[in-house]
Amino acid sequence: MAHPDLTPDLTPGLNFVPLEAARAFADGQEFQALTLLRRAQVAYSDQSVAWAQLERLIGLVLIHVQREVEGTFCLERADARLDALNAFKPDLFHLAARAEPGTLE
C-alpha cells in the first residue's frame, strides 16, 4: 500500500480552491459553490494564475447552471490570462475531484 504522501493530487495546483466550494458543487449545490468560488477569488490579483483558474471554474459552473453568456465571458477572460501565463486550465472534473477524500486540503 502506498504511503499517503505518495498519492498523487487529483487537483494539481488547485489547493487554493475552497474545499467547501468543491463539496458544494459535488453535492449539487451549484449556487453555493459559485458564491464560495467568488469569495475566494477576491483574495487574488486579477493578474494571477489563482484568480484566472477560479474565474474559469466560475465560468464553467455558470454554464453548468445554464447561464451560458455569463459563463462564456468568464471563460474568455480566464483562458486569455491562463494562456498568457502558460498555466493549467481546470475543468469541472477537477473541481469535483477536489471534494473527494484523499485530495490535499
Side-chain angles (χ1 to χ4, degrees):
M1 187 166 169
H3 188 275
D5 290 341
L6 300 177
T7 304
D9 183 9
L10 297 176
T11 55
L14 297 181
N15 295 329
F16 55 86
V17 173
L19 192 54
E20 300 81 23
R23 286 182 179 148
F25 179 77
D27 291 343
Q29 300 172 0
E30 291 91 349
F31 291 102
Q32 178 68 18
L34 277 171
T35 299
L36 295 169
L37 289 169
R38 285 181 169 149
R39 286 180 182 166
Q41 189 182 33
V42 299
Y44 298 97
S45 162
D46 64 355
Q47 303 299 311
S48 69
V49 171
W51 183 93
Q53 288 177 335
L54 287 165
E55 182 77 357
R56 180 172 172 74
L57 291 173
I58 289 166
L60 291 170
V61 174
L62 284 167
I63 290 169
H64 182 74
V65 297
Q66 299 182 346
R67 292 175 64 182
E68 293 88 0
V69 175
E70 284 179 86
T72 300
F73 285 132
C74 288
L75 287 179
E76 288 176 356
R77 284 189 298 271
D79 287 353
R81 173 66 51 217
L82 292 170
D83 287 342
L85 297 170
N86 196 27
F88 172 72
K89 293 179 183 175
D91 59 25
L92 292 178
F93 170 78
H94 295 100
L95 179 61
R98 173 89 170 102
E100 293 176 9
T103 57
L104 297 177
E105 295 187 21

